[in-house]
Structures are given as C-alpha cells and as structure tokens.
Amino acid sequence: MSLVNTRMVGQIAVLEINSPPVNALSVQLRSDMLKALTTIAENTDVAALLLHCAGSTFICGADIREFDAEPLSPHLPEVIARLENFPVPVVALLHGHVLGGGLEVAAACHYRIADPQTNIGLPEVSLGVVPGAGGAQRMMRLVGVENAVQLATSGRAVKVTQPEYNAFCDALLSDTSFSHLEGLLALGLHWVELALQKGELVPRATANMALDQGEVDWEALTAKVARSAKSNPVPNKLLAQLQRDLCLSVQESESHTRHLFLELRQSLVAKALRHAFFLEKKLQAPRGKQPLRIDQVGVIGAGTMGGAIAICFADAGFKVVLLEQSEQALSAGLERIKVQYQGSCDKGRITQQQCDVRISLINGSCDYSDVADVDLVIEAAFESMEVKQSIFAKLDEVCKKSSILATNTSYLDINLIAQATARPESVVGMHFFSPANIMKLLEIVNADQTAPAVVEAMQQLAKKLRKQAVTVGVCFGFAANRMYSRYGREIQQMLLEGASVEQIDNAMLDFGMAMGPLAVLDLSGIDIGHNARAQYPQPEYDPGYFKVSTALVNAGRLGRKTGLGFYNYSTAKPTVDQEVVVLIKKVGDELGITQQHFNTESIQQRTFLAMISEAAQVIEEGIVSEKEAIDLIWLHGYGFPRAKGGPMFMAEQYGIASLQAKMEKMRELQGEKIWPSLELAQYINQD
Ligand code: 3HC
C-alpha cells in the first residue's frame, strides 16, 4: 500500500502523505513520494502541486527507527532536489509539526502556506545529528543566517508566527485553529487557485535565492551555542560547518552537512540521544482505557513544594485548592505563587492573561471541608510519619469516596501512611522533584494496596502535566532518591578519602552533570537529607555514611540559606574555605580512613559504579519493572547528561566484565554490604 495519495482538483495536483503517526520520512515514503512526483510531472494538465499531510501533523522528519541501519536509497536529498526542481510551482500546506527532514522538504518547496498554529524546527542536533538534506542552508536563505543557525543549533521548535520566522511562509491561512483537516485543505486549495488566477505562482528554487548574511556575531553565537548545548558536541560542529561554508552554494554546503550527518548517525552521542528519545516514548502512559476523571485538585501545604505543585497543576489548567493550617502561612504561600507567576510573565515566558488565569485557578483555604469534593489530593506537608498519618486520617474522613489520596513524601513508607485511612487502595505516592513545576521527573509510587486503576490514572495525569513518569515500588527513598543517596554516599566517602570539594564538583561537571553534587547539596540545604537520615539508624557497616554532612550541619553550615555550606557564599564567586577542609580531614582521621590520590577520571568512575550498583539492586528488588526507568530517572531527575544516554546505557558501553572487576575491587576495600555481588548480565545488554 502506498504511503501517498494523489488526486487532481481542477488543475492542481494534490499529493497527500499518509504515514501515521507522524508522517516520518521512511525509505518507503521517500520512494512513494518520488514515484508520485514522476507521475505528476508527466501530466501536462497540472498547473501546480499542493503537498500536504493527512493526520495531526505535517512531516516530522526522517524515520529515526532507520538510523541504526545502513541508509537506504532513495535518500532524502533526492526527494528534495526533485521537489525543488519541479516543473510546476510546488506549494507545501503546513500544519501540526514541521520538523527535521519535514522542514527540509517544506523549505525546498516553492511556496509555503500554513495553519498559524504550526510549529517548525530542526531538532536533528537533539538526536546527535545535523540536518542532512540542506535544511539549514535553505532556511538561511528564507529567514536569514542568524535565525536559521539559531533554529538548527538549538534544536528547539518555534511557532511559525514567531516574528523572526515570518518570511518562512508565504501565507498564514486563518487565525483560528482547524478542527478538521479538510477545512485547512480547502483553504489551501483556494489560496493556490487564486494565486494561479493572478499569475503569481512560478517555480522558484530556494537554493537559488540570494543569501543575506547580515551582521552575524559568530564568536558570540559560538559561545551561546556551546553554553546551551552542554555536553552535546553536535550543535557547535554544525555551527562551525555552516560558518565555513557560508560562501558556497546550497548544493556544495549541503553535501558537507550530508557527509557530517552520515558520519554522526553512528556516533555514540547519537546512539545515546536516540536511546533517550525512545525510552521516553516507551515509558509514556499508553492511551487510558477510561477518560481521566480529575478536574479539581487539592494540595495540602503551601510551602515551597506545595506551592510549586499547585503551579504545576494550574499550568496544566486544573483548579486547585491549596490548604494550609494558618491564614498567615496560606497568604505567604499564595503570595509566593503570585510572585513566581508575575516573574514568568515579566520574563516573557507567559502572557499577562495566562498569568492572571493561572493565579485565579489556585484558591487558598484553611478548612479541610474545602477539599471534600476534589478528585485528587496531594499532601506536601512536613516530612514526618506522624504528621502525614494525621493528615491522611483527616482526608479519609472528609474526602468523597472516589478521591485519590496522594502523598509527595520523598522517603517515608507509603504503606504506613495508607494504614491511617480506611481506603488504602486509593492511596498512592506522587513524588515530585524540586522545583516541582520545572523538573520533568515524577515518581508514581505504587504501594502494596494501591488499586491498579489509581496507578493508571496517575500515569495519565502525568502526561497531562507534561511530566516524565516512572512507576516505582515502596522502599526507602523509592527508586530515585535511593539511587541518588548511593551516589551521594560515594561522593562523601571520596571526600573522606582525600578528594577535595572542588575536585568532586569539577569532575562531575566535566562528566556533564548539570551541577556539581556538593553545590546541589548547598542549594537544597544539607540539613534536609541529614534530618531524613536521622530518623533511621546509621548503617553499622558504613562508618563514614554521610558523616561529612553531619559535621557541616553540626557546624551550622546548612548551605546557601546560611551563607555557608560546602562553599562560602560571602563573595560573588563561591569559594571553599579552610574550615570545611579541616572539618572533612578531622572526620576522616577520626575514622582512620586511608587517604588516596584522586583525579577527574577516578572520581567519575567511582560515582558511575555506585549508580550502577544501586540501579541493579533497585531492578533486582522489583522497585522498578523496566531497566529503562533508571535512565529516565537520572536524565529527568538529576541532570545526567542526555548525550551520555543514562547510566544503564553507559554500562552497556562499559562492558559487564570490566564493571564486575571494578566493583569486585571496591567490595574488597569497603565490604559486601556496600558493594554487593550482582548478576549484572541480567540487567545490562551486551553485544
Ligand atoms: N521517526 C520515527 N518515529 C517517530 C518520529 C520519527 N522522526 N517522531 C515520532 N515518532 C514516533 C514516536 O516514537 C511515537 O511512537 P510510539 O507511538 O510507537 O511510541 C509516535 O511517533 C508518536 O510520537 P510522540 O508520542 O512523541 O507524539 P507527540 O505528539 O507527543 O510528539 C513529535 C510528536 C513532536 C513529532 C515528537 O514525536 C518528536 O519530536 N519527534 C521527533 C522529531 C525529530 O526529531 N525529527 C528529526 C528527525 S532527524 C531528521 O529529520 C534528519 C534529517 O535532517 C535527514
């Protein structure tokens, strides 16, 4: 069956692409397009060609599933050349997303007309490749060098109506969004007919358009791209290539980026980024069997976390009742929310109207009866079992029977919290990461008696909140914080063994983590984890277990909020003062810890081994059911470099034998309890 349909409407040949779900340019689609173009070109009755797509979107790029194999002919540049050199005018009718190879196709058409809601983008760099069919070069001619380079190097999609990209389209078809594609098609055909009648349509190759280089500050652009690309080297490679080729024709420059595209496809970075892309899709909730019945939400606690959770729901259009114990705490919490929304508005992230609507969706209350009718309550109160149990007992008393009762606890046993109610099947964990309205990760904690329908509803809800959700079981810290604690334990142990604060943070920044782990502790407050751990006995087999944090907390160094933590924040650039060096040395000496020599590589390797060790245990104990969840947690919860794919992806490259040998060494030094023997072959694929 062909993936394209053609028909004639008067003198206009309509070529419709129909390759769901996103009209990706698979080898079959490329081939079917070429065949259809040949047939249309032979028809002398054709005055113009209208290219459009069935379904919710225009072409969303090359078919990424083909990237692991050898590229198969016909290749995209051949389709593009055929379109660009077509004997009659070619008009692309755009809607939905026009991405990657899809934008390259559109840019090679002679005219573009679009639904104003359309998004355009060149996301190739986020997959570790570059636009491989001259998309960047043609966009330079359509929207200017700087705008095109920004689009291609950022990988981000923009609205077609964004002023910088105005010149991309010849017409926007209406100010309303289209509920029916037929309506858009009818408008598109009408536009082509009128233009034909006026004699305004002629074949014109974008590649032949003059290039207005304008005033581009390449140095500043390079620095900006390097900053935002973080550990992904591809945006800067693309930038350098485009800058070098500026004086070349589109065809010559396109052949260079094509070569780069083919070379990068098989690189480790591209494989890691593809892995990240597909695991996000794999772990997304499937379409729900039942429609999601959550309209109104209650949030208990208007502190930093509760407020951010309320924002997260209001951002997604939910009505929220924010509950606090006192009027004073409530008005302070509501004020913080207002300030935050106004800040987003001032920075241009949302409009004043969006700001007002979202603020109006959040209503405060100090009366539990105001959450009686909500469909979901999320408790974000103080991290204490006693406090949480009393809140859940109260919620059980007041909330309607169908309400889902969720806790945002980071560490506490949800089975015990559920026991405070007569409906443990309705109790679930919804563990947000701070700041809850920004961080993508959401852990859905499936407690022993949580009903499957409740878990499914939370997975559907996560999608609406635009979160990347993982469903996990109950254990101390669940999957995410448990693994992060193991990472933190290894870092503190290395401090005791002689690694310096700066060495550790710099090594992890060099690895590509978004922040150094000790700077993170300072930011979140060293006392937070310390207080959580204080509720449990210190593991007797691990004498140094977070002893550095304890020493800092005892010295009043709680992090940024006290001006002193691992770093001293009294100057513009935080420094490590002698007091911290002495404190750490003292703890190490008291414990008789042997000092070692560390470098960037040894620090990175130790932390990586710790991540894998705990991840394997989390999988083995069934806390997560898919190993991909581990990578998702690190990528979206803890700033793990996406270009490295996640710890489990890295472990596959590292090799099981090598991992086992290194863990064995650590086991000899620190004992079986900290470095247990693991059947890694069960969790890590090997070629
Ligand atoms: N190739 C193959 N499959 C793709 C795909 C692509 N380019 N884009 C999306 N899909 C698949 C997804 O894996 C998913 O499959 P599943 O249903 O089996 O899980 C399905 O299409 C629907 O995708 P989403 O769930 O992501 O749907 P959304 O509506 O949320 O988002 C989207 C749609 C914005 C198009 C998003 O999928 C996306 O960003 N896709 C990637 C687009 C991209 O990166 N294109 C560039 C490819 S590289 C290229 O074009 C090279 C060229 O220069 C030569």
Side-chain angles (χ1 to χ4, degrees):
M1 204 181 77
S2 178
L3 298 177
V4 304
N5 307 307
T6 54
R7 66 192 163 106
M8 289 298 290
V9 179
Q11 283 186 293
I12 305 167
V14 178
L15 194 161
E16 179 193 69
I17 292 173
N18 188 2
S19 180
V22 296
N23 295 311
L25 287 155
S26 60
V27 63
Q28 194 199 331
L29 178 56
R30 300 193 300 266
S31 167
D32 289 348
M33 282 175 78
L34 279 179
K35 277 187 218 145
L37 289 173
T38 303
T39 312
I40 296 168
E42 284 164 359
N43 184 346
T44 48
D45 291 339
V46 173
L49 167 64
L50 181 70
L51 175 70
H52 88 116
C53 288
S56 60
T57 181
F58 192 73
I59 303 167
C60 288
D63 191 327
I64 307 167
R65 290 165 305 180
E66 290 179 355
F67 281 14
D68 283 327
E70 281 297 306
L72 294 174
S73 172
H75 305 293
L76 186 55
E78 204 181 319
V79 179
I80 301 246
R82 185 74 66 87
L83 281 167
E84 192 159 52
N85 299 314
F86 211 65
V88 296
V90 183
V91 182
L93 173 59
L94 311 176
H95 76 289
H97 305 280
V98 181
L99 302 176
L103 186 64
E104 299 186 295
V105 165
C109 290
H110 305 150
Y111 299 87
R112 285 150 295 279
I113 53 180
D115 171 359
Q117 303 300 320
T118 308
N119 295 309
I120 58 168
L122 289 168
E124 284 88 343
V125 292
S126 6
L127 291 166
V129 293
V130 297
Q137 292 84 347
R138 286 187 181 81
M139 284 303 278
M140 284 182 182
R141 279 142 182 95
L142 289 169
V143 297
V145 173
E146 183 152 0
N147 293 330
V149 170
Q150 299 259 23
L151 196 70
T153 53
S154 72
R156 275 191 222 109
V158 296
K159 278 257 172 298
V160 76
T161 45
Q162 194 164 307
E164 296 90 321
Y165 298 94
N166 268 345
F168 175 67
C169 278
D170 298 276
L172 297 174
L173 290 180
S174 162
D175 277 339
T176 54
S177 60
F178 301 92
S179 48
H180 299 294
L181 199 54
E182 298 85 64
L184 178 68
L185 184 55
L187 282 177
L189 281 165
H190 183 63
W191 186 90
V192 179
E193 271 162 16
L194 274 184
L196 280 173
Q197 278 167 20
K198 288 186 205 158
E200 284 173 356
L201 283 193
V202 285
R204 49 175 201 189
T206 310
N208 294 341
M209 285 170 68
L211 181 68
D212 177 6
Q213 293 193 25
E215 288 279 302
V216 181
D217 184 345
W218 288 97
E219 212 175 302
L221 205 52
T222 307
K224 185 176 164 198
V225 170
R227 250 193 331 273
S228 55
K230 300 194 180 114
S231 51
N232 181 356
V234 176
N236 269 101
K237 275 193 188 162
L238 173 62
L239 182 81
Q241 180 80 66
L242 293 174
Q243 188 185 359
R244 262 199 307 275
D245 285 1
L246 217 50
C247 298
L248 301 183
S249 68
V250 165
Q251 285 75 12
E252 283 170 310
S253 176
E254 179 181 331
S255 75
H256 293 158
T257 38
R258 177 80 192 163
H259 184 76
L260 190 56
F261 165 77
L262 292 173
E263 184 187 295
L264 290 171
R265 260 170 111 231
Q266 296 315 322
S267 68
L268 195 53
V269 167
K271 285 183 180 163
L273 290 167
R274 284 206 288 279
H275 164 79
F277 176 82
F278 283 119
L279 76 87
E280 284 164 359
K281 304 293 161 215
K282 184 175 170 192
L283 296 190
Q284 230 177 42
R287 199 178 291 278
K289 290 180 208 116
Q290 305 280 339
L292 184 65
R293 282 201 212 93
I294 295 175
D295 292 320
Q296 206 178 357
V297 176
V299 177
I300 314 288
T304 312
M305 194 40 133
I309 293 174
I311 290 178
C312 175
F313 277 92
D315 284 351
F318 290 89
K319 280 192 244 151
V320 181
V321 178
L322 186 62
L323 202 82
E324 250 302 345
Q325 281 178 308
S326 70
E327 287 293 345
Q328 198 189 4
L330 180 63
S331 55
L334 289 171
E335 187 54 32
R336 265 196 303 274
I337 290 173
K338 270 191 199 148
V339 168
Q340 190 151 344
Y341 268 131
Q342 201 51 58
S344 301
C345 183
D346 295 345
K347 286 185 193 127
R349 293 197 187 124
I350 53 173
T351 62
Q352 188 61 53
Q353 195 202 1
Q354 284 171 317
C355 171
D356 297 341
V357 169
R358 292 178 196 187
I359 290 174
S360 73
L361 284 172
I362 303 174
N363 290 300
S365 168
C366 292
D367 183 351
Y368 265 87
S369 66
D370 285 333
V371 292
D373 286 327
V374 300
D375 306 299
L376 165 72
V377 188
I378 299 140
E379 164 278 313
F382 184 65
E383 194 75 346
S384 133
M385 181 58 80
E386 212 183 330
V387 170
K388 302 218 182 241
Q389 282 189 325
S390 81
I391 291 174
F392 272 74
K394 186 78 188 155
L395 290 174
D396 191 27
E397 197 183 302
V398 299
C399 290
K400 65 181 178 188
K401 278 290 155 245
S402 59
S403 300
I404 295 173
L405 310 182
T407 169
N408 178 53
T409 181
S410 315
Y411 291 97
L412 298 175
D413 185 343
I414 299 180
N415 292 319
L416 294 181
I417 297 176
Q419 275 177 19
T421 73
R423 46 170 134 170
E425 69 284 357
S426 304
V427 178
V428 68
M430 256 188 122
H431 180 215
F432 289 83
F433 290 73
S434 190
N437 54 319
I438 308 273
M439 296 298 288
K440 278 253 171 214
L441 184 64
L442 175 70
E443 270 183 316
I444 298 167
V445 190
N446 184 6
D448 289 354
Q449 295 190 57
T450 312
V454 169
V455 174
E456 197 195 296
M458 292 304 95
Q459 290 167 341
Q460 297 299 332
L461 176 66
K463 241 184 181 175
K464 276 202 151 182
L465 298 177
R466 298 171 153 268
K467 296 286 179 198
Q468 289 287 340
V470 284
T471 305
V472 302
V474 175
C475 65
F476 180 69
F478 315 121
N481 273 345
R482 173 169 161 181
M483 290 191 290
Y484 197 74
S485 292
R486 180 66 186 84
Y487 167 71
R489 180 267 167 203
E490 210 52 42
I491 280 158
Q492 299 230 343
Q493 183 68 23
M494 285 190 280
L495 286 174
L496 294 176
E497 290 173 13
S500 72
V501 169
E502 297 98 323
Q503 247 185 331
I504 300 246
D505 272 358
N506 288 337
M508 296 322 290
L509 283 172
D510 175 84
F511 178 78
M513 297 299 280
M515 273 181 86
L518 300 169
V520 170
L521 264 183
D522 273 358
L523 189 66
S524 54
I526 304 171
D527 55 322
I528 306 282
H530 172 79
N531 294 341
R533 283 186 298 273
Q535 300 187 34
Y536 297 85
Q538 161 99 17
E540 82 294 341
Y541 53 82
D542 192 0
Y545 187 74
F546 286 96
K547 283 275 164 62
V548 176
S549 277
T550 308
L552 263 72
V553 170
N554 290 342
R557 303 186 69 118
L558 308 187
R560 271 178 187 262
K561 60 188 168 190
T562 54
L564 295 171
F566 283 95
Y567 294 88
N568 182 326
Y569 295 91
S570 60
T571 48
K573 188 175 183 298
T575 52
V576 177
D577 57 38
Q578 204 49 30
E579 187 190 347
V580 172
V581 178
V582 172
L583 268 176
I584 296 173
K585 175 91 175 51
K586 186 162 170 270
V587 179
D589 287 349
E590 280 167 10
L591 294 167
I593 289 175
T594 315
Q595 298 297 287
Q596 298 196 33
H597 173 72
F598 284 96
N599 58 29
T600 301
E601 199 195 335
S602 59
I603 292 169
Q604 292 175 351
Q605 187 176 292
R606 272 274 287 273
T607 51
F608 171 62
L609 291 176
M611 285 178 199
I612 296 301
S613 172
E614 200 64 31
Q617 293 172 68
V618 162
I619 303 170
E620 192 165 281
E621 290 169 29
I623 302 299
V624 296
S625 47
E626 295 119 329
K627 66 179 168 50
E628 288 85 353
I630 303 291
D631 286 346
L632 197 86
I633 287 171
W634 281 96
L635 291 175
H636 291 291
Y638 299 117
F640 193 97
R642 194 173 171 90
K644 287 196 160 87
M648 298 305 279
F649 179 83
M650 271 185 74
E652 282 173 16
Q653 324 305 316
Y654 213 88
I656 294 174
S658 172
L659 280 167
Q660 292 285 27
K662 297 207 161 65
M663 286 187 182
E664 173 71 40
K665 234 183 188 161
M666 294 309 300
R667 192 156 41 249
E668 280 164 18
L669 288 170
Q670 298 187 350
E672 170 82 19
K673 286 257 169 53
I674 299 169
W675 294 95
S677 171
L678 298 160
E679 293 293 331
L680 294 182
Q682 285 185 35
Y683 325 113
I684 296 167
N685 294 339
Q686 239 12 195
D687 289 335

